[in-house]
Amino acid sequence: MSFASYLAQRWQHILVLVAQHAEVVAIAVSIATVVGVGLGVAVHGRPLANRLALAATGTVLTIPSFALFGLLIPLVGLGTAPTVTALALYAIFPILRNTITGLESVPASVADAAIGMGLSRTRRLLTVRLPLAWPVVITGIRLATIMVVAIAAIAASVAGPGLGQLIFHGLAHTGGVNALNDTLAGVIGVALLALALDLLFTVLFRLTTSRGIRD
Amino acid sequence: MTDSATTPGTDVMIRLDRVRKCYPGQAVDAVAELSLDIRAGEIVVLLGPSGCGKTTTMRLINRLIEPSSGRIFLDGKDVTAVNPDLLRRRIGYVIQQVGLFPHMTIGDNVGLIPRTLGWDKARTKARVDTLLDLVGLEPARYRDRFPKQLSGGQQQRVGVARALAADPPVMLMDEPFGAIDPVTRERLQDEFLKLQAQIGKTIVIVTHDVAEAVKLGDRIAIFAEGARLAQYDTPERILSEPADEFVSSFLGTGTAVRRLGLRRVGDLRFEPLDGTRPIDDRCVVRADQSVHDALDVMLRTGSEIVTVTDGTGEPIGLLPFTTVLDHHPTDGDDPSRPRERSGH
């Protein structure tokens, strides 16, 4: 079967997998954003905590994804749970690192003015520091998203949802009727989804960043 | 330093009472026991070489730096232990790098503290427009711009407007005109003095520039190492009677010429107009210009006599060079500073 006729026949199924793929990525990145930004805010200005947090979340990235998915099975079982957990763990590091960088990039004079005019700690964070750090933070979220879109394909190894199922199925049935088409559809789907999300972030960046700090 | 011996009265807006700041691990105090009274409605300039502790002293007032010992009074009340954020909202703060919030419009920058204090939108907007007007920025044109769209001088005006937003009785200004080109700086200083004549705040300015201190200060506090207060007096008296070797060497040469800048032409006795003499446009000074300006005109035009005009340009008298020489003050009397109070 040609790839075109394969697509014509299976597109609905593929779209469902794309949607599942996007969904687990969205959930995982959302969780990682809350954890990463929260942790970044918490460790900001505390050098030791800062280094510990970066080291801990950075170490997670060195665990091969195949291994991490497997290690999570005894803890959270199969399917969506280990998928979301593993993806969130991977996504924390870029978001945390960019949150820290973003908060550090707030000019000293701006921080001094904010304290000097009597803004409370919380207000300084919400009205000055986070909005100024935001372009860097959202770039971190974007990087994390693209990264876990690719990793999510491996989630099929723990029966996770998404395009990984097509790829794993294709690879497991090499030589079979639609093996190549399955793998191809999965790989191309992942690439296109990554591209689409990248574009989405370009739009989000413009919508959420003040004109005063955009170039 | 006779001021600090008196009890805090209604007259004293800021009082530092034996304030000391030492940093752990440093043998020498950053500020060694300092007492200083700043009267309501005055501009006090903290002047001194870099590293003398003048900025530290200013930051002790709004407790950006917490004193190691001693007490700070604002308007007669001990504020050494009150919530620093609430204290700072009553003290305007202007810094050299301005520190405008780049992601907020000019209007939002100026209106931030009023909004924090719970003012409604209409009141905040009215206040923002009033303040932008006050600092010479047309509200309709600048309110919705972002800081990066403004020049350095305009940003500093916004910085002043922002500091005035909640109408604080006190303003602290750390080298406010330091990062601005000389021409604009001169203009901003003149505008600042006009502004202060309208608002009458108690203002503390930190600078290392003697000319700026003489121009802006009702009083100057000269600091030596460790924030030791070497002299605290009017510019006129500091220039004419430096307290010690340190003060005179810091002021350097040219103190007599600087003093000319403190005195207005209108305060001198000038001669009646002489109808026979045609008025040379180049040899004219306004009565509100300084004697320094008049001398400058004389030197530039080679004329020993200049025509004095009033604000409308109408000639009101003649000022000969000999009058400038005769009237050069030799005592601490300073007629150009009507805001000065007696008893100092």
Side-chain angles (χ1 to χ4, degrees):
Chain A
M1 198 190 302
S2 74
F3 190 55
S5 48
Y6 165 85
L7 281 183
Q9 198 182 67
R10 310 287 297 271
W11 65 272
Q12 277 170 316
H13 175 63
I14 295 170
L15 273 189
V16 168
L17 293 179
V18 169
Q20 284 178 355
H21 203 99
E23 192 185 359
V24 288
V25 168
I27 295 170
V29 170
S30 301
I31 295 170
T33 299
V34 172
V35 175
V37 173
L39 202 58
V41 167
V43 301
H44 177 69
R46 297 185 178 88
L48 183 68
N50 205 318
R51 272 205 302 278
L52 278 175
L54 282 177
T57 53
T59 306
V60 175
L61 279 186
T62 64
I63 305 173
S65 48
F66 208 77
L68 183 60
F69 281 118
L71 287 170
L72 285 169
I73 297 173
L75 298 173
V76 291
L78 285 168
T80 307
T83 308
V84 169
T85 310
L87 296 183
L89 282 173
Y90 282 123
I92 289 172
F93 179 76
I95 298 173
L96 172 69
R97 193 199 51 199
N98 278 34
T99 301
I100 291 171
T101 310
L103 290 174
E104 277 168 357
S105 71
V106 174
S109 62
V110 171
D112 187 35
I115 302 174
M117 66 201 281
L119 294 179
S120 66
R121 218 183 141 73
T122 317
R123 248 177 209 285
R124 287 203 302 276
L125 181 70
L126 296 179
T127 59
V128 180
R129 290 165 53 211
L130 273 182
L132 284 179
W134 183 246
V136 185
V137 175
I138 196 175
T139 304
I141 300 174
R142 176 184 185 160
L143 285 173
T145 305
I146 305 308
M147 186 179 83
V148 299
V149 163
I151 298 176
I154 314 293
S157 64
V158 288
L163 292 161
Q165 291 181 354
L166 279 183
I167 299 171
F168 271 66
H169 189 265
L171 292 177
H173 297 85
T174 308
V177 187
N178 273 323
L180 184 61
N181 284 338
D182 278 345
T183 310
L184 215 52
V187 170
I188 293 172
V190 167
L192 288 179
L193 181 59
L195 208 61
L197 288 172
D198 204 41
L199 283 173
L200 176 71
F201 271 99
T202 309
V203 175
L204 268 182
F205 183 90
R206 288 195 71 81
L207 289 179
T208 56
T209 307
S210 157
R211 260 199 305 134
I213 48 174
R214 282 201 317 246
D215 298 321
Chain B
M1 268 303 307
T2 50
D3 279 352
S4 61
T6 60
T7 48
T10 48
D11 205 11
V12 175
M13 179 56 82
I14 303 166
R15 152 166 292 203
L16 300 182
D17 181 24
R18 284 165 296 156
V19 168
R20 194 172 64 90
K21 178 66 191 179
C22 59
Y23 290 102
Q26 282 185 14
V28 187
D29 288 351
V31 174
E33 245 188 43
L34 172 72
S35 293
L36 184 72
D37 279 10
I38 293 167
R39 298 185 191 189
E42 283 196 338
I43 299 178
V44 168
V45 177
L46 310 184
L47 176 67
S50 342
C52 69
K54 55 192 191 296
T55 296
T56 308
T57 302
M58 164 178 282
R59 291 165 72 91
L60 283 165
I61 297 173
N62 62 356
R63 290 178 44 214
L64 284 173
I65 295 175
E66 294 285 355
S68 309
S69 66
R71 290 185 304 166
I72 299 155
F73 295 89
L74 187 74
D75 203 8
K77 282 173 212 71
D78 189 341
V79 293
T80 324
V82 303
N83 178 323
D85 289 333
L86 298 181
L87 172 68
R88 288 172 198 142
R89 287 177 204 166
R90 295 163 57 203
I91 302 178
Y93 185 57
V94 178
I95 53 178
Q96 182 180 335
Q97 310 83 343
V98 194
L100 293 182
F101 305 131
H103 60 299
M104 293 184 193
T105 62
I106 300 308
D108 288 343
N109 265 281
V110 176
L112 183 56
I113 284 298
R115 280 200 315 271
T116 305
L117 294 173
W119 296 20
D120 63 45
K121 263 195 172 146
R123 188 176 169 211
T124 304
K125 183 176 177 296
R127 180 70 183 154
V128 167
D129 287 2
T130 307
L131 285 165
L132 289 180
D133 251 336
L134 196 65
V135 298
L137 295 172
E138 199 191 315
R141 213 173 139 202
Y142 290 99
R143 195 196 299 123
D144 298 320
R145 293 198 185 179
F146 284 96
K148 68 175 182 187
Q149 298 168 296
L150 269 58
S151 71
Q154 289 171 332
Q155 291 193 18
Q156 192 53 276
R157 287 164 204 251
V158 177
V160 171
R162 182 174 67 174
L164 288 169
D167 204 14
V170 173
M171 295 253 282
L172 305 182
M173 308 177 86
D174 191 353
E175 307 245 8
F177 310 115
I180 298 186
D181 69 88
V183 178
T184 312
R185 182 191 308 152
E186 192 94 350
R187 208 177 60 230
L188 283 184
Q189 288 170 342
D190 292 337
E191 283 174 13
F192 175 71
L193 285 175
K194 280 199 196 109
L195 179 65
Q196 164 67 353
Q198 292 176 57
I199 59 180
K201 302 287 182 194
T202 307
I203 296 173
V204 181
I205 300 176
V206 162
T207 186
H208 57 262
D209 178 352
V210 177
E212 179 167 86
V214 169
K215 180 171 182 179
L216 299 181
D218 291 310
R219 274 167 216 280
I220 297 175
I222 298 196
F223 286 93
E225 284 294 293
R228 178 181 71 84
L229 191 55
Q231 190 168 9
Y232 182 36
D233 217 324
T234 62
E236 182 63 38
R237 301 229 335 167
I238 285 190
L239 290 175
S240 58
E241 298 165 44
D244 58 22
E245 217 15 64
F246 169 79
V247 174
S248 40
S249 77
F250 182 73
L251 295 176
T253 55
T255 53
V257 175
R258 287 193 199 287
R259 286 166 71 199
L260 291 175
L262 289 173
R263 185 160 266 231
R264 283 199 305 259
V265 168
D267 296 320
L268 301 185
R269 261 192 311 280
F270 34 82
E271 323 245 302
L273 281 169
D274 176 358
T276 64
R277 193 190 298 268
I279 296 171
D280 182 345
D281 304 346
R282 295 179 306 144
C283 305
V284 171
V285 290
R286 288 190 321 274
D288 64 342
Q289 284 184 281
S290 69
V291 178
H292 186 274
D293 294 333
L295 192 63
D296 187 58
V297 170
M298 290 174 185
L299 292 172
R300 239 179 322 117
T301 59
S303 169
E304 282 180 26
I305 190 159
V306 292
T307 306
V308 182
T309 64
D310 63 11
T312 64
E314 197 59 40
I316 53 172
L318 296 170
L319 180 70
F321 178 62
T322 47
T323 310
V324 175
L325 274 188
D326 291 347
H327 281 72
H328 193 241
T330 50
D331 59 359
D333 178 42
D334 185 1
S336 72
R337 300 264 154 175
R339 277 178 290 142
E340 286 296 335
R341 290 156 183 86
S342 57
H344 193 86

